[in-house]
Structures are given as structure tokens and as C-alpha cells.
Amino acid sequence: LFLFIVGWFQVLDALGESLPCAKYDSWMVYLPEGDFLSRIGPTDFFKDLEKYAGPNAVQEWEKLLGAILPLSSAAMALPPLSIRGDLGVLSTAAARYAPSLLKSFIKMGPQGALGATKLLRPFLEIVDSLELKDPFIRNWIDLLAFLLAGVKSDGILSAEMIYMFAEWYKPGCTLEYPIDGSGAVVEALVRGLEKFGGRLSVKSHVENIVIENGKAVGVKLRNGQFVRARKAVVSNASMWDTLKLLPPGALPDSYVSGVNTTPQCESFMHLHLGFDAKEQGIADDLEIHHIVVNDWDRGVDADQNVVLISVPSVLSPNLAPPGKHVLHAYMPGTEPFSLWEGLDRKSTEYKDLKSQRSEVMWKAVERALGPGFKREKCEVSLVGTPLTHQRFLRRNRGTYGPAIEAGKGTFPGHSTPIPQLMCCGDSTFPGIGVPAVAASGAIVANSLVTVSKHSELLDAIGL
């Protein structure tokens, strides 16, 4: 039922690797109604609702939690790592977890079990069915959905939201950040890969996927080297970029047309800063994460409206020199590529547009860090644009991924019309965003091993 959140720790458990993490349970939000420290857990948010929205919002939030938390047992009963892309799923998922699923339905009762049928429908349908009308509640739900999957509540699956609610609003819950930053996650994954005989090649640009006798047999690198596949070629490039790696005519016209007509999410703007904490008057109790919403009426998915800020050196001081902070501000999947298309990155026009379109991020940073912060005192200042995404991430039009909304379409599976060519990543089920992309990779990996090997893995990590 719920195939979206693949915990990094489950993957690392499978690889026998671990990561030291710092725990935290709060972040700052800056909304049209006011600024406040938001905490996960069941009680603190009610205080914020009482202050910034009123008693009616509190009642509606209680009504929402009362309706959806019982569904969480069904949403969480099927581990993502149990899924595979062939009939073996009947053994690794359906049969293995049928008892826990059945138990969760019995526990929910007839009404709850009926509600569980909505897990694969847009979350907005649950919101509407509960007749939740408070503007703050509806806006907050849209914001949570947007932060989780890049779409509002009318585009995210209920299962994904319910899983998140169950984790964020339970007693004693915390969030974790790797002590050595996100790079530590990559390093742990690489260690696990190499431990089991894998090899990672960096700076190895894939020129094209090689097709022989109608099958994908390997990849040719830009340096001329050919890497032959043992079982399959797996592409985690976007659907549009994968097409560019294949020879003309390798795919049916209908498949190519389907890819080329799939709508795309917009791109990103980024602001990377490095600065001295004391010189900038930064408070010692600065939060690691900050969320700025400028205008609810425009919608959380409108361009230049929502800015996310992370200062990871707050929890991981070793990510910056002593006394310094590193900061990343960004606007996720809302920056129109059309504004940047065709611009010369060395031109004055491009530089001026960077300055203009990054101003909203600068203002958000100034709001989050306080009046002592001065942008001109930053020792590092880098602005990323959709052209940056297109160039360095090799993303078609710098896109975040396919714009496929729940209830209005489905993400493609992982197989392709070409035998031995499989796809994972944000262009495949279950969708965009790190959790979904991780799940897609797990599904493909599971599909390439035997059912017995897959089952051994699930036994080994206690699932």
C-alpha cells in the first residue's frame, strides 16, 4: 500500500554500515500570520494553532489526526524494501506481510478499513471528506505536502502524507541529521557497495547505452571505454535524458511520444553562503532549518514564494571552519525554466537575472538570521539557477522531475520496451523526491536478484 519512504538506515543496515547523527525536533517557520518555532510531536503544534489560527483550527487538526492516524498502520504495514518488479512480489511482499496487513485492517474496524482504500488517492480528498475549512489548516497541509513531494495536497498520495503524519506527530519523535553532512550518506553507501564487490566510477560520462540484437548490453563512456552489463543496464537519468542516450529507433514511437509529452516540474534557484558567525551576530541557538512562506494566496507551489533554508553547520560544526557557518537556501521546483532558456551564462543579462531572481532568497535569509546579518560580509556567495541544474546535474530543462499528480496519472514502471534496460529515479514509480527515488532504486535492485536472495535480505535486517 505504501511504497514511498525507504529509510536510509534500512539500506545501511542491509550494507552493514552506520552513520552518527545529531537529533533535533524543531525548525523555524516564517508565515504571513507570524514567525514561530515549529516542533514535531503531538502537543506543541496545538499551541501554535491556538495562537496563530484560533480554536477552530485546533478542533479541525484534532479531527484530522483522529481520522488519519488509525490508517497509518496500513500505510506502514508493507516495507518498501519488500517490493520487486516481477511476480516474485507475491512472495516477498504479499504473502510475507499479509498477516500484518490483515491485522491492521481488523484493528481499524470496518470504517477504518474502508478509509484505507483512499491511501492511493490524493490526500485532499481526505481533507475535503472531513470538511476541514480553516484556511490555516488547509494552507499548512499544502505546505507539508509540498515539502514532502513537491506538490500540494491535491497531488500527493494519501499514503505518503499519512506515513509522514504518523512519524512526525507521535510522542517522543525526533529528526536526525548526519554529523558529517549528506556526503556521509554517500560515503557510507559507497563503502557498502565496495564491501560487496561493487565498483563506483566517477568522472565517467556515459555517452550512450549500447544496444545489440535488440537488448541493452552495456554503456559506452565518453572516453571510449565500453562497460558490459552482467544482468541489465539501469538508468537513473530522467526519462527525457535517458532517451538521448539511446540510438534512434531503439524505442517504439508511442513510447517516445509518451515521454516527450509528459509534463515537467519547474526547476530550482539556490543560494549557497559561507560566513563568520560572530561577525554576523548569529545567535548560538540558531535552528538548522527555516521555512519562509511569503503569500498563502499565491499557493505554496508559486514561483518566488516559498524559500527553504538549511544551516547544517549548526548541528555539524565540522562542515565549516571554526566559527563559520555554511548555509543553503533554495526554492524547490518552482523556478520557470522559460525565463532562463537560451541565455549565455557569461552574459550581463544572465548575471542581472541571477541577481534579480535570487533577491527573494537573500531577503528570506536576512529574515531568518536576524538584523546583524549583512550579505556583503559573506565570505562565500554562490547562486544556482535552472541553467546550473541543467548543466551540472544533466537534467533536461533543469527539471525537478515529471509533474504527475496523484489521481490524474501514474508514474511509469521500471522496465522498458528494450530487454535488459531498466529505469529508476524520479521518472519512475513511485515518483519525485529523495524518498520515492530511493524506493525506485530498491525495487529495481530487488528485481535483479532471486526471490530467495531478496527474502534473505529481509530476514537479515529484521523486516
Side-chain angles (χ1 to χ4, degrees):
L1 289 174
F2 180 69
L3 316 175
F4 302 91
I5 304 295
V6 171
W8 285 116
F9 291 104
Q10 287 186 353
V11 176
L12 293 175
D13 283 345
L15 296 174
E17 295 290 333
S18 61
L19 277 180
C21 291
K23 295 182 182 295
Y24 67 103
D25 65 355
S26 60
W27 62 92
M28 280 297 299
V29 292
Y30 308 84
L31 308 177
E33 293 85 352
D35 309 343
F36 60 92
L37 182 69
S38 178
R39 293 187 182 277
I40 60 176
T43 57
D44 287 277
F45 188 57
F46 284 111
K47 300 175 185 177
D48 299 327
L49 286 175
E50 181 73 36
K51 181 175 180 179
Y52 294 99
N56 184 62
V58 173
Q59 294 171 6
E60 290 199 355
W61 191 253
E62 289 177 331
K63 184 178 182 180
L64 175 65
L65 294 182
I68 66 173
L69 289 184
L71 300 177
S72 63
S73 58
M76 302 170 75
L78 192 61
L81 288 184
S82 70
I83 307 302
R84 53 190 292 129
D86 56 24
L87 291 178
V89 73
L90 297 176
S91 173
T92 61
R96 187 182 185 98
Y97 299 101
S100 61
L101 277 169
L102 181 60
K103 184 178 180 180
S104 68
F105 285 131
I106 294 174
K107 185 177 179 181
M108 287 187 292
Q111 191 66 29
L114 181 61
T117 62
K118 299 179 180 179
L119 290 175
L120 299 183
R121 298 292 302 166
F123 189 67
L124 182 62
E125 292 184 5
I126 290 180
V127 174
D128 287 340
S129 69
L130 295 172
E131 299 182 342
L132 305 183
K133 302 185 183 303
D134 186 88
F136 187 94
I137 293 295
R138 296 181 73 93
N139 286 331
W140 185 259
I141 290 172
D142 272 344
L143 178 62
L144 292 179
F146 183 68
L147 297 177
L148 190 61
V151 294
K152 295 191 294 186
S153 58
D154 61 351
I156 190 171
L157 287 177
S158 294
E160 191 166 3
M161 283 290 281
I162 290 170
Y163 189 104
M164 182 274 295
F165 269 90
E167 288 295 299
W168 282 21
Y169 295 105
K170 67 181 181 182
C173 56
T174 61
L175 300 171
E176 294 183 320
Y177 187 84
I179 293 297
D180 295 314
S182 56
V185 178
V186 177
E187 292 170 358
L189 292 173
V190 173
R191 289 196 304 269
L193 172 72
E194 294 175 344
K195 181 191 301 183
F196 289 94
R199 180 169 60 91
L200 176 70
S201 295
V202 295
K203 298 181 180 179
S204 304
H205 185 101
V206 174
E207 192 71 23
N208 59 269
I209 298 170
V210 178
I211 307 297
E212 293 180 358
N213 300 319
K215 298 180 179 180
V217 296
V219 295
K220 179 182 178 183
L221 305 184
R222 179 175 286 176
N223 63 10
Q225 181 184 359
F226 172 64
V227 181
R228 182 170 291 278
R230 291 183 180 180
K231 291 187 176 181
V233 174
V234 181
S235 172
N236 78 326
S238 76
M239 58 171 65
W240 305 281
D241 294 294
T242 298
L243 282 186
K244 299 175 186 177
L245 299 175
L246 292 166
L251 289 166
D253 291 343
S254 58
Y255 187 91
V256 174
S257 177
V259 170
N260 288 331
T261 56
T262 299
Q264 291 183 345
C265 292
E266 298 290 4
S267 192
F268 280 65
M269 287 289 295
H270 297 273
L271 178 63
H272 292 278
L273 303 177
F275 51 88
D276 186 279
K278 185 175 181 181
E279 184 182 23
Q280 295 277 27
I282 305 302
D284 292 336
D285 60 351
L286 179 69
E287 292 291 319
I288 180 175
H289 296 308
H290 306 255
I291 302 170
V292 179
V293 179
N294 293 309
D295 185 353
W296 286 127
D297 291 339
R298 293 191 63 220
V300 294
D301 55 351
D303 69 302
Q304 301 273 292
N305 195 25
V306 174
V307 180
L308 308 181
I309 301 169
S310 291
V311 193
S313 47
V314 166
L315 294 180
S316 301
N318 58 333
L319 296 180
K324 312 287 186 180
H325 276 311
V326 290
L327 179 150
H328 175 214
Y330 63 103
M331 291 181 286
T334 59
E335 181 67 7
F337 186 82
S338 58
L339 297 176
W340 304 84
E341 192 165 15
L343 291 181
D344 181 349
R345 290 189 299 274
K346 298 180 180 179
S347 68
T348 300
E349 183 182 5
Y350 177 64
K351 294 176 182 178
D352 289 345
L353 189 59
K354 284 177 69 174
S355 178
Q356 172 193 335
R357 300 294 288 182
S358 64
E359 182 64 21
V360 66
M361 294 187 292
W362 277 111
K363 289 182 177 178
V365 169
E366 291 167 345
R367 187 175 177 183
L369 298 189
F373 175 81
K374 305 298 179 186
R375 62 177 77 177
E376 60 272 12
K377 291 185 178 181
C378 288
E379 299 170 37
V380 176
S381 175
L382 301 170
V383 176
T385 73
L387 295 187
T388 311
H389 260 238
Q390 183 184 48
R391 179 187 182 192
F392 289 99
L393 301 182
R394 298 172 185 168
R395 301 286 297 180
N396 181 270
R397 297 177 64 83
T399 183
Y400 186 28
I404 300 174
E405 297 183 356
K408 299 180 181 178
T410 57
F411 278 83
H414 306 91
S415 61
T416 72
I418 300 176
Q420 297 176 192
L421 174 61
M422 303 186 74
C423 293
C424 64
D426 55 27
S427 291
T428 64
F429 180 82
I432 63 175
V434 172
V437 167
S440 74
I443 293 171
V444 171
N446 293 338
S447 303
L448 292 175
V449 300
T450 64
V451 170
S452 61
K453 285 289 186 182
H454 187 180
S455 297
E456 286 176 15
L457 171 65
L458 296 175
D459 290 337
I461 60 177
L463 291 179

